[in-house]
Amino acid sequence: MSKIKVIKKDGTVEDFNMDKIYKAIEKSAQRVMKHLKEDEKPWIKASILENISGKNSIPVKDIHLYVEKILSKLDDEIAKSYKDYRNYKTSFVSMLDNVYQESQKIRYIGDKENSNSDSTLVSTKRSLIYSVLNKEMYKKFFLTVEEIEAIKKGYIYIHDMNARLDSINCCLADVGTILKDGFEMGNIWYNEPKTLDVAFDVLGDIIFSMSSQQYGGFTVPEVDTLLKPYAEKSYLIYKNEFFQIADKFYVSREDNIIEKAEEYAIEKLWRDMEQGFQGIEYKLNTVGSSRGDYSFVTFTFGLGKTTFEKMLSKTCLRVRRKGQGKRGFKKPVLFPKLVFLYDEKLHGEGKELGDVFDEAVKCSQSSMYPDFLSLTGDGYVPDIYKEYGKIISPMGCRAFLSPYYERGEIEPLDSEDTPIFTGRANLGVISLHLPMIYAKAKRESKNFYDVLDYYLEIIRGLHLRTYDYLAEMKASTNPLGFCEGGFYKGNLKPDDKIEPVIKSFTLSFGITALNELQQIHNQKSLVQDGEFALEVMEYIKSKVEEFKRQDGKLYAIYGSPAESLCSKQVQQFRKEFGIIKNVSDREYVSNSFHCHVSEDINPIQKQDLEKRFWSYFNGGKIQYVKYPISYNFEAIKSLVRRAMELGFYEGVNLSLSYCNECGYEELNMDTCPQCGSNDLTKIDRMNGYLSYSRVKGESRLNDGKMAEIRDRVSM
């Protein structure tokens, strides 16, 4: 057979080589998670030789056709993969051209897809360009034709395509387990901190290391309780320090020396706490992660009843309220996002932690954080707290974990089985574009729910494949999480597969534009009606519960926070179905189940209207209203308390504005009334989190989100 020559595409000639064909087939099989069996090779070889016998030379394209024909008899999936693979050069040229075009935009224009990424920085540009390549490779090698069509048209949206196969999504890190008795990071052993100031430093190191190995939000739950043991250690050290000084300089001990020692230790602790939280704020708002953005970190707190826990909670709030910056130009930072855990029995009027709650409201009225999470109202999160005493802290801007039980896993084994939340995470979100699905069903004269089922099944299949893919990853990809106890059951060896750990992680079905769905159905908004939207959510809930039982996976429904997606979905809808009033005539769609931002309703009306949808979105939800009350402490406090009674995760929404020329601050200004400057820094609520809508006069947000901010009345 060596006499047969193969004429390649470029006109060069080489000897026929059967091993090259085997390798090409093997690669094609691997792409569809299969392998070529050894006993199949002789048959393949004989079939090919039968087709080329008697020829002195043969074009390579003819050989490819023979191989395709032979493989179609063997395995359709491998045959299709081979056909796609053999055209890889042409498709790669096209793909790399797209990457090049996008990289040029990033280098010279910037990127506004993620408001927490400063695309003017070289390090961020590099990360964004890598993300573009990763996204293209994900689409080319992981998605099916049907899935590509669904995302291209816009019926579904796969969040974070650039990172989904690298790592996990949002998490509740078990930092306490990592710290206890010490841990290894970067081949260096960290001893457990012996003082509070060291604990703050190590906490920062852990946050940067773990959050860099994932995408999405990174939450340190109950940070007041977490840091309490280290505050106690420092307190004892400072008391002993005072006694040593007293012994050295006083001839005789005074009667109140113990009281003075305690005063000295407490004063030093206040200072350590203030410097510790300041240091965390500086780190998280100035040092970008390896992903190219600022680590999206959340601290939850507020339930601690001991002296040190209360001190930690109050200090965290006071540092945020004071702001960072030079004298006369201080402004609140964005990270960590703060979430106050509210228990009516502890934080109600006259209760033992009422003073801590007051501090939280004061902080919110000047910096929009903390958000407030009800543990004693109605709903999923309060119910878990009341039954088990377990707190489901939010991850990132709004994600919540489904229960995972110690013994029964997805369902409790018995009445004694308890759920685990800390140390768990998400594995990604894929969102439905419901107005587009509705419009498609109408255009094709199909039942809406039949079309919806098709896209629900696509998302389900993607989640299952993503889970299987990530399950094969090694624990060394995130050592603090998978090896040092940062995740539940995260005590694996570096070479172990992570499947035992990610069994407890959640996969989410996202929802956007519920208001626009109601509009396209009967030309009414969620404020005017909402019944069809509720019907659809009831249907989706039942389907997701069915998938959960059948697949044994923790599926959840997530109210998607549409940042860049809010304008992308409008563009996709217009391309398919044109401009429809109150559906696609604005530059953005509504987030999840929220009333349209332009609705002229008051905060109480908005709370009541959105309460209808609250129970459907246990995988991720937040309620927020625009407070038209400036810095009225009592008014904000009463509205927050009302939200807590309703069981909400509540965000205070103001529009903070600061003049960079004279330091003047005022709500929602576009020109400084004091000096006339347009050089402003503005902080607005992006979705469930805060972001800079203007930095030194320029916006980091996309045009769709800026249009939404301009239209805000009730948000």
Side-chain angles (χ1 to χ4, degrees), residues 391-673:
I391 298 156
I392 314 173
S393 291
M395 304 177 295
C397 65
R398 66 178 66 194
F400 289 93
L401 289 163
S402 303
Y404 185 85
Y405 295 88
E406 285 184 337
R407 291 180 289 118
E409 298 183 349
I410 290 180
E411 298 292 340
L413 191 64
D414 51 44
S415 60
E416 301 299 316
D417 208 356
T418 57
I420 299 293
F421 296 99
T422 300
R424 293 176 49 219
N426 275 353
L427 294 178
V429 182
I430 303 174
S431 290
L432 295 155
H433 189 175
L434 293 172
M436 278 200 71
I437 295 171
Y438 188 95
K440 177 182 174 69
K442 288 296 182 184
R443 184 175 66 186
E444 298 176 359
S445 299
K446 293 180 179 177
N447 181 280
F448 166 71
Y449 291 106
D450 290 340
V451 181
L452 177 58
D453 281 348
Y454 172 76
Y455 290 108
L456 284 169
E457 288 288 355
I458 284 183
I459 294 175
R460 178 191 191 182
L462 275 164
H463 279 328
L464 288 170
R465 290 212 318 281
T466 301
Y467 180 93
D468 290 342
Y469 187 95
L470 291 174
E472 297 294 311
M473 303 283 278
K474 291 185 177 181
S476 57
T477 55
N478 189 337
L480 288 183
F482 294 116
C483 303
E484 298 292 340
F487 296 138
Y488 176 57
K489 295 188 176 180
N491 52 0
L492 305 176
K493 295 178 181 178
D495 285 337
D496 288 344
K497 294 179 181 179
I498 65 174
E499 202 274 338
V501 175
I502 68 170
K503 281 175 65 178
S504 69
F505 291 9
T506 304
L507 297 148
S508 300
F509 292 72
I511 305 294
T512 60
L514 208 55
N515 177 73
E516 285 71 20
L517 174 67
Q518 185 68 52
Q519 286 279 10
I520 199 172
H521 175 68
N522 66 354
Q523 295 80 56
K524 292 183 179 180
S525 70
L526 292 182
V527 171
Q528 297 167 314
D529 188 355
E531 288 305 310
F532 180 68
L534 285 166
E535 176 189 306
V536 172
M537 287 312 305
E538 184 65 37
Y539 183 84
I540 292 173
K541 179 182 177 182
S542 66
K543 291 296 291 187
V544 171
E545 285 296 318
E546 178 186 321
F547 295 163
K548 180 180 173 181
R549 290 191 300 270
Q550 292 175 350
D551 300 343
K553 297 289 186 291
L554 277 172
Y555 297 132
I557 300 175
Y558 179 75
S560 300
E563 185 176 331
S564 61
L565 182 59
C566 73
S567 56
K568 184 181 183 70
Q569 287 190 326
V570 168
Q571 294 161 13
Q572 291 172 324
F573 189 99
R574 288 176 179 175
K575 188 173 181 180
E576 281 293 303
F577 304 106
I579 296 177
I580 298 176
K581 185 180 179 181
N582 293 327
V583 177
S584 59
D585 56 341
R586 292 185 174 91
E587 297 304 313
Y588 58 91
V589 296
S590 302
N591 281 317
S592 58
F593 58 89
H594 301 307
C595 299
H596 199 275
V597 298
S598 65
E599 296 279 8
D600 189 10
I601 53 177
N602 63 45
I604 291 175
Q605 289 173 309
K606 188 169 190 289
Q607 286 177 342
D608 289 343
L609 286 163
E610 294 184 353
K611 174 67 174 176
R612 299 173 295 171
F613 298 96
W614 194 248
S615 64
Y616 292 107
F617 291 85
N618 290 338
K621 54 188 176 181
I622 188 171
Q623 203 280 332
Y624 38 69
V625 292
K626 190 168 185 177
Y627 285 67
I629 47 185
S630 187
Y631 297 115
N632 187 327
F633 173 78
E634 290 300 329
I636 293 178
K637 185 176 177 179
S638 64
L639 282 169
V640 170
R641 281 201 191 283
R642 186 176 192 275
M644 297 300 94
E645 291 171 5
L646 293 170
F648 281 151
Y649 172 34
E650 178 79 356
V652 173
N653 191 26
L654 307 168
S655 185
L656 307 176
S657 307
Y658 306 87
C659 178
N660 296 315
E661 293 292 332
C662 69
Y664 180 78
E665 63 178 86
E666 183 179 296
L667 291 181
N668 202 31
M669 65 175 176
D670 290 311
T671 301
C672 177

Side-chain angles (χ1 to χ4, degrees), residues 177-394:
T177 295
I178 296 174
L179 287 173
K180 188 172 176 55
D181 299 326
F183 61 96
E184 186 177 283
M185 182 166 63
N187 299 318
I188 299 295
W189 181 258
Y190 277 63
N191 290 312
E192 183 175 3
K194 295 181 174 61
T195 61
L196 181 61
D197 59 340
V198 173
F200 270 112
D201 286 340
V202 176
L203 175 60
D205 293 344
I206 290 171
I207 288 170
F208 274 119
S209 178
M210 279 192 75
S211 65
S212 291
Q213 316 312 324
Q214 64 174 75
Y215 62 99
F218 181 91
T219 293
V220 181
E222 302 170 69
V223 73
D224 49 347
T225 302
L226 171 72
L227 293 174
K228 171 193 166 186
Y230 308 105
E232 290 173 339
K233 291 179 180 181
S234 285
Y235 171 75
L236 293 175
I237 289 171
Y238 287 138
K239 279 187 69 174
N240 289 330
E241 182 180 286
F242 184 87
F243 288 139
Q244 290 172 4
I245 295 171
D247 287 341
K248 185 174 182 179
F249 293 104
Y250 292 106
V251 176
S252 62
R253 292 195 175 208
E254 299 178 24
D255 292 339
N256 63 348
I257 192 169
I258 293 177
E259 182 180 324
K260 287 188 174 181
E262 288 178 351
E263 289 177 1
Y264 174 84
I266 291 294
E267 185 178 337
K268 297 276 278 186
L269 265 185
W270 280 118
R271 181 173 174 274
D272 284 354
M273 290 177 185
E274 182 177 29
Q275 291 186 333
F277 281 115
Q278 281 181 344
I280 289 285
E281 286 194 348
Y282 277 126
K283 284 181 181 179
L284 295 182
N285 292 277
T286 60
V287 182
S289 74
S290 63
R291 303 189 307 254
D293 59 359
Y294 296 111
S295 296
F296 195 150
V297 177
T298 299
F299 285 174
T300 69
F301 59 94
L303 293 180
K305 295 183 285 187
T306 67
T307 298
F308 298 137
E309 288 170 316
K310 289 179 67 175
M311 287 173 64
L312 284 159
S313 292
K314 287 183 176 181
T315 306
C316 180
L317 293 164
R318 289 168 183 171
V319 167
R320 179 58 54 88
R321 183 154 55 97
K322 186 185 295 183
Q324 303 288 359
K326 61 184 179 181
R327 190 186 300 275
F329 291 85
K330 290 183 181 293
K331 55 183 73 73
V333 298
L334 305 183
F335 299 112
K337 173 182 166 75
L338 304 180
V339 176
F340 190 86
L341 304 170
Y342 182 91
D343 181 344
E344 177 65 26
K345 294 178 181 178
L346 298 175
H347 302 110
E349 291 290 352
K351 303 298 183 182
E352 62 181 304
L353 296 181
D355 57 332
V356 183
F357 175 65
D358 285 351
E359 286 280 358
V361 176
K362 288 177 187 176
C363 186
S364 268
Q365 72 177 135
S366 59
S367 61
M368 281 198 283
Y369 277 157
D371 292 335
F372 297 84
L373 179 65
S374 173
L375 300 176
T376 50
D378 297 323
Y380 164 59
V381 174
D383 288 349
I384 290 288
Y385 177 70
K386 285 180 277 191
E387 183 174 357
Y388 298 101
K390 296 293 184 73
I391 298 156
I392 314 173
S393 291

Side-chain angles (χ1 to χ4, degrees), residues 121-162:
L121 300 175
V122 171
S123 58
T124 305
K125 290 180 188 293
R126 287 174 180 158
S127 178
L128 289 170
I129 292 169
Y130 164 77
S131 294
V132 171
L133 176 61
N134 227 21
K135 183 176 180 179
E136 290 295 322
M137 292 178 67
Y138 174 83
K139 289 191 289 187
K140 179 166 183 60
F141 294 111
F142 193 77
L143 300 183
T144 65
V145 173
E146 292 79 10
E147 291 160 355
I148 290 172
E149 182 74 5
I151 64 169
K152 183 179 179 181
K153 293 288 181 66
Y155 296 105
I156 66 171
Y157 180 80
I158 304 174
H159 296 257
D160 305 294
M161 280 191 279
N162 60 313

